[in-house]
Amino acid sequence: MPTTQTKQFTKKEDFHQASREDRFQFHDYYLVEDLLEDDHKLARAAVRDWVKSEVSPIIEDAAMRGECPTHLFRGLAEIGAFGPSLPVEYGGGGMDEIAYGVIMQELERGDSGLRSMASVQGSLVMYPIYKYANEATKRKYLPKLGSGEFIGCFGLTEPNAGSDPASMLTNIVDDGDAYILNGAKMWISNSPVADLAVVWARDEEGKIRGMVVDADSPGFSAPEIHGKWSLRASVTGELVFEDVRVPKENVFPDIKSMRGPLSCLNKARYGIAWGAIGAALDCYDSALRYSLEREQFGKPIGQFQLTQKKLAEMITEITKAQLLAWRLGTLANRGEATPAQISMAKRNNVNMALEIAREARQIHGGMGITSEYPVMRHMINLETVLTYEGTHDIHLLITGHDVTGLNGFA
Ligand code: TGC
Ligand code: FAD
């Protein structure tokens, strides 16, 4: 059985509490707020308060030290961040896709690593189990994943199969009542602290299969990847399988192609499209305040036209991204959001957030490179967000393929 209890989780006291107050103000230039329902606003307020009280005081210290604040995982479960749009009876929040989006936005306002934790647990672990596993497997894992008692990870990428996951080498071989799993996965969020992994592997017929693998299975290991300059408050590792026995009931019965893992990515990319707006808002908010408080040449720097150009472009791009996300959410609620539409929103909104983080860093001058302000942390985090869940260029090719009908990947 999974082993959360034996893992070393951090405590709030392990981290230095910031002396600076979180002064974040939400910005909503086109009153997108009017498009939200009361449930969305309630969910958003709960997450916003939690981020202010639990995340903001410690996140700079955690990122500077390169330590994942794992003690926050239970709190994430309590605020409903794990599978907000999955059914309650399967450990989810029973809310709609817009609620899921606004929750991700507030989390990423705190830190992309925190949103990543929620994306992986909800969209990449709970969702495939909910959608593809047999009933007994759902009942065994989903409630404990929803409550944060179990931590999950998602193993698709391999050392030689990143943008092209279909070239994976990890494989399973039939052995009576179980499959024998061999191979290795790379860049796996949360793998070193996970109780279980949703793993994608090729069967003897060459078909892509998905399965739940308990982390305490003999032959399973998850070494941590060290030395990241990005997502430093998130833990990333490998997954190594050496003759791991996976009971047949843990293998998703009806999934036999790349459609399985790619459908999970749609869910997570949707959440990122919303989440990135949160990081952008935090950078813009900090830059706007700094521009009004910081004086040079006897004036607030916000009075200079070049600073105003930066701020004007930032709020314009944020507003466009907010509207794009909201419209995507309405389509998702109707079950009509296409993978290509989700891909466009992920690419546009993450790129927008990264550009804003870079501009915000400039507005803060030298102070922008310190942990006194959140912008440099967001900026280096967003470098990863631009790459994972499909790189910026892969998403350009997805849109290119969609509009021309011509496959530009190979
Ligand atoms: P291709 O031949 O185009 O398609 C294979 C089959 O899959 C179907 N399909 C999809 N189904 C559902 N959703 C999608 N988004 C789908 N895209 C394709 C397709 O219709 C086909 O079905 P069928 O029935 O005909 O077999 O696939 P391909 O192998 O050529 O690859 C296409 C490509 C490059 C777009 C895809 O592989 C891709 O998206 N690559 C990027 C890899 C990626 O995003 N990896 C993410 C790993 S997980 C991660 O990063 C987690 S980060 C942590 C966090 O989220 O915070
Ligand atoms: P590559 O695929 O080698 O790409 C390198 C460059 O080549 C990119 O610029 C890319 O755009 C470009 N390129 C590739 N193919 C083409 C093409 N056909 N045309 C034009 N350009 C191309 N994966 C998981 O499975 N689970 C996780 O939990 C997870 N978490 C992650 C956490 C972090 C911190 C990071 C950094 C990654 C994580 N990933 C995870 C992996 C992530 O999804 C991959 O890094 C990503 O898909 C890109 O793969 P790659 O790094 O191998 O780059």
Side-chain angles (χ1 to χ4, degrees):
M1 281 299 289
T3 55
T4 306
Q5 286 74 12
T6 61
K7 303 225 184 275
Q8 294 294 309
F9 275 52
T10 56
K11 298 192 228 41
K12 192 172 182 174
E13 314 79 85
D14 293 342
F15 295 96
H16 174 71
Q17 306 282 309
S19 49
R20 109 186 128 77
E21 192 194 345
D22 177 355
R23 294 162 73 193
F24 175 72
Q25 301 273 321
F26 187 63
H27 299 273
D28 184 12
Y29 205 74
Y30 260 44
L31 310 182
V32 180
E33 172 107 7
D34 289 352
L35 301 169
L36 301 182
E37 292 165 12
D38 288 348
D39 283 359
H40 306 143
K41 291 179 193 164
L42 280 172
R44 194 180 62 184
V47 181
R48 188 172 294 170
D49 289 351
W50 183 80
V51 166
K52 267 206 175 184
S53 68
E54 302 301 318
V55 179
S56 298
I58 58 117
I59 195 64
E60 299 295 345
D61 187 42
M64 290 294 268
R65 285 162 44 179
E67 274 186 44
C68 179
T70 45
H71 66 281
L72 294 176
F73 290 0
R74 280 300 180 106
L76 280 168
E78 281 159 19
I79 56 168
F82 296 159
S85 57
L86 294 180
V88 174
E89 65 169 315
Y90 290 111
M95 291 185 279
D96 70 3
E97 299 298 338
I98 293 183
Y100 166 39
V102 296
I103 290 172
M104 295 302 121
Q105 184 173 306
E106 293 302 323
L107 286 181
E108 196 146 1
R109 205 284 292 177
D111 191 75
S112 298
L114 208 62
R115 193 270 310 134
S116 209
M117 165 60 201
S119 294
V120 171
Q121 183 90 345
S123 298
L124 298 180
V125 177
M126 292 173 68
Y127 173 75
I129 295 175
Y130 164 69
K131 189 86 180 157
Y132 303 127
N134 62 36
E135 192 60 27
T137 303
K138 288 183 205 184
R139 299 275 171 202
K140 179 174 170 190
Y141 293 106
L142 287 176
K144 289 182 176 171
L145 284 162
S147 68
E149 191 177 332
F150 288 171
I151 302 303
C153 65
F154 177 85
L156 178 64
T157 306
E158 298 188 357
N160 293 315
S163 297
D164 180 20
S167 64
M168 70 175 70
L169 297 176
T170 297
N171 62 87
I172 50 171
V173 174
D174 197 324
D175 188 41
D177 59 352
Y179 286 102
I180 307 297
L181 172 68
N182 277 289
K185 298 288 175 181
M186 179 79 176
W187 294 118
I188 307 305
S189 300
N190 286 341
S191 72
V193 297
D195 301 286
L196 58 109
V198 167
V199 177
W200 301 92
R202 202 172 279 291
D203 69 13
E204 288 159 280
E205 291 174 34
K207 303 236 164 81
I208 302 298
R209 308 296 302 272
M211 64 211 73
V212 182
V213 185
D214 289 334
D216 60 359
S217 309
F220 180 110
S221 59
E224 185 170 350
I225 295 172
H226 294 283
K228 291 181 300 169
W229 281 117
S230 175
L231 282 196
R232 289 178 56 75
S234 164
V235 59
T236 316
E238 300 170 45
L239 287 172
V240 181
F241 314 111
E242 291 171 313
D243 290 331
V244 176
R245 277 187 83 76
V246 182
K248 280 200 172 155
E249 65 264 23
N250 278 27
V251 178
F252 305 148
D254 299 324
I255 287 296
K256 297 191 176 168
S257 87
M258 282 303 292
R259 263 185 192 279
L262 292 174
S263 66
C264 308
L265 299 186
N266 294 334
K267 278 271 169 196
R269 290 168 178 171
Y270 170 85
I272 293 173
W274 281 86
I277 300 169
L281 278 166
D282 207 30
C283 292
Y284 168 74
D285 177 66
S286 185
L288 177 62
R289 190 172 312 104
Y290 192 84
S291 76
L292 299 175
E293 291 173 357
R294 173 72 176 168
E295 293 193 359
Q296 287 294 285
F297 300 97
K299 293 176 187 165
I301 58 170
Q303 200 167 326
F304 302 126
Q305 290 180 6
L306 288 175
T307 309
Q308 291 192 4
K309 175 176 185 289
K310 288 185 175 63
L311 292 167
E313 286 175 350
M314 284 184 199
I315 192 63
T316 306
E317 292 307 314
I318 287 172
T319 302
K320 284 152 66 178
Q322 285 170 323
L323 289 164
L324 185 68
W326 178 81
R327 176 62 184 156
L328 186 67
T330 61
L331 292 173
N333 276 344
R334 301 201 312 235
E336 292 173 10
T338 67
Q341 287 168 334
I342 294 168
S343 160
M344 177 187 281
K346 188 270 181 185
R347 169 176 55 83
N348 181 78
N349 289 8
V350 174
N351 195 51
M352 169 283 297
L354 182 55
E355 294 294 329
I356 284 176
R358 288 172 179 158
E359 292 288 70
R361 214 288 305 149
Q362 286 204 62
I363 290 177
H364 286 80
M367 290 308 291
I369 72 158
T370 72
S371 60
E372 277 294 298
Y373 296 90
V375 289
M376 189 85 175
R377 178 173 48 80
H378 282 306
M379 190 180 98
I380 57 177
N381 282 343
L382 288 162
E383 290 289 346
T384 287
V385 185
L386 196 78
T387 287
Y388 70 23
E389 293 283 0
T391 68
H392 184 77
D393 287 354
I394 288 296
H395 287 294
L396 282 171
L397 291 172
I398 290 174
T399 305
H401 188 188
D402 197 47
V403 298
T404 65
L406 304 172
N407 182 347
F409 292 105

